Amino acid sequence: MFNIYEEITNRILAEMEKGIIPWQKPWTCSCGAVSHTTGHPYSLLNQILLMMDDDNDDTEQLSVKEYLTFNQIKAAGGSIKKGEKSKFVVFWKMYEKERENENGDKTKDVIPLLRYYHVFEVGQCDGIKRKWSQEKQHIPDPIDEADVVVKTYFDREACRLHIHETNRAYYSPSQDLVNVPQLSQYKVAGEYYSTLFHEMTHSTGHQTRLDRLSVGNMNFGSDAYSREELVAELGSAFLLNKVGIDCKSAFRNSVAYLQGWSEALKNDRNLFVSAASKAEAAINYIINGKEVSK
């Protein structure tokens, strides 16, 4: 008898056996950090550093954040608002060191040294105007059947849903909160729903629902964490199929995402069988509630 859950699991296993597929974040960064002076974006590492503590940042909702050094602010005729604190960005400085080799010849070694400097966002300054904006991309259309599943679940459950312009997707068990980037940040609607369904599957593991998250060590990178990620990504793939979304990029991302956790998850099919069973129970819960959960 044909089993759609087994079919999807086998497809994912077959793709994983072909080799490494790099995972790509399916949403665009809502808070791109650029140099106010040049408009050039900061490196990926610096983007991460500048995003830290953004939950308490008044400029969180900006499409583009523009940063300047103290000297650049002064040169532009501006000033830093009272009480504002800087963030730092890093860069590599190449240092040449001369040494003598075993033959007595002098050679130069190039040693990279990590350096940093402090920057302020335009919103932390007086007398500085913003110069750069992010081009708006085409916003994909919502998918009604998927939205019905989402609305029904969150209307029924105590779990909260926060969809907004952000650069983070997660489920917080302590807050019982699903947080995802909004639809306008995605190029393809299927990738938005794939992300949302992944976090919704996590939420079914709450102690008031299927109680998966209270079992074992759920610290980042642990076996229990990896297995839960497998459940969530399979649940997302199953749920996409349930609502009739065929998204090749989302499926490819699912495969790549699962590869990133551990060799055990790649090679032990028994783990997939167990995870697929839990994922099926999770989406049954999302669609139907407790009465049919396993």
Side-chain angles (χ1 to χ4, degrees):
M1 183 176 177
F2 180 76
N3 185 316
I4 187 59
Y5 304 108
E6 184 177 346
E7 176 66 20
I8 294 172
T9 302
N10 287 337
R11 284 179 61 197
I12 290 175
L13 282 169
E15 287 296 310
M16 289 176 72
E17 288 168 358
K18 293 178 183 178
I20 299 297
I21 303 172
W23 184 80
Q24 295 179 347
K25 186 175 63 176
W27 63 86
T28 58
C29 179
S30 60
C31 301
V34 304
S35 163
H36 173 77
T37 305
T38 65
H40 293 157
Y42 286 96
S43 68
L44 179 59
L45 174 58
N46 283 325
Q47 296 279 349
I48 294 170
L49 292 172
L50 293 171
M51 282 191 299
M52 288 180 177
D53 303 322
D54 269 357
D55 283 346
N56 300 318
D57 192 337
D58 291 338
T59 64
E60 184 185 15
Q61 299 301 324
L62 292 173
S63 293
V64 174
K65 293 186 179 181
E66 304 176 21
Y67 290 89
L68 309 88
T69 65
F70 174 80
N71 288 337
Q72 288 171 337
I73 294 169
K74 188 175 179 181
S79 61
I80 300 166
K81 294 179 180 177
K82 186 176 180 181
E84 293 291 345
K85 295 182 179 179
S86 66
K87 293 187 176 182
F88 69 88
V89 291
V90 298
F91 65 98
W92 291 101
K93 184 174 181 179
M94 299 304 173
Y95 171 70
E96 289 188 352
K97 183 178 180 180
E98 191 176 82
R99 69 179 179 87
E100 191 173 291
N101 64 21
E102 57 186 13
N103 298 322
D105 298 326
K106 290 186 178 180
T107 61
K108 288 184 178 180
D109 290 335
V110 178
I111 303 172
L113 299 175
L114 190 63
R115 294 287 185 259
Y116 69 93
Y117 56 92
H118 294 275
V119 292
F120 295 85
E121 211 281 324
V122 168
Q124 298 176 283
C125 306
D126 288 322
I128 305 290
K129 291 184 178 180
R130 298 186 182 279
K131 298 194 296 185
W132 312 101
S133 63
Q134 195 172 55
E135 292 183 7
K136 291 186 177 180
Q137 64 181 42
H138 168 72
I139 300 175
D141 294 326
I143 299 172
D144 291 341
E145 189 171 353
D147 283 338
V148 168
V149 170
V150 174
K151 185 177 187 305
T152 300
Y153 179 69
F154 285 101
D155 283 352
R156 186 185 71 229
E157 301 296 324
C159 184
R160 293 180 294 137
L161 174 62
H162 194 193
I163 301 174
H164 63 128
E165 189 175 8
T166 180
N167 198 36
R168 294 188 294 172
Y170 62 86
Y171 169 66
S172 168
S174 61
Q175 297 177 301
D176 199 13
L177 168 71
V178 167
N179 181 93
V180 292
Q182 62 194 20
L183 180 60
S184 62
Q185 292 178 246
Y186 297 77
K187 293 181 179 180
V188 180
E191 293 180 335
Y192 162 72
Y193 290 105
S194 176
T195 302
L196 179 52
F197 290 165
H198 178 104
E199 304 306 337
M200 286 171 62
T201 302
H202 277 315
S203 73
T204 65
H206 191 268
Q207 61 183 3
T208 62
R209 300 181 190 100
L210 300 182
D211 198 21
R212 288 191 317 275
L213 302 181
S214 61
V215 179
N217 174 14
M218 293 301 295
N219 291 334
F220 182 86
S222 68
D223 283 345
Y225 186 98
S226 299
R227 292 171 194 234
E228 174 59 23
E229 286 300 320
L230 182 59
V231 171
E233 200 60 27
L234 288 173
S236 174
F238 293 163
L239 202 47
L240 285 174
N241 182 271
K242 273 278 188 183
V243 298
I245 299 175
D246 183 13
C247 181
K248 290 183 179 179
S249 55
F251 176 74
R252 182 179 173 84
N253 248 0
S254 291
V255 174
Y257 189 82
L258 296 178
Q259 284 181 320
W261 295 104
S262 74
E263 290 297 321
L265 294 182
K266 295 178 188 177
N267 300 321
D268 188 343
R269 286 176 178 263
N270 290 330
L271 291 179
F272 273 86
V273 172
S274 173
S277 175
K278 291 177 181 178
E280 185 175 354
I283 67 165
N284 282 336
Y285 185 96
I286 289 171
I287 295 172
N288 300 300
K290 275 186 178 178
E291 61 271 20
V292 296
S293 62
K294 297 179 183 178

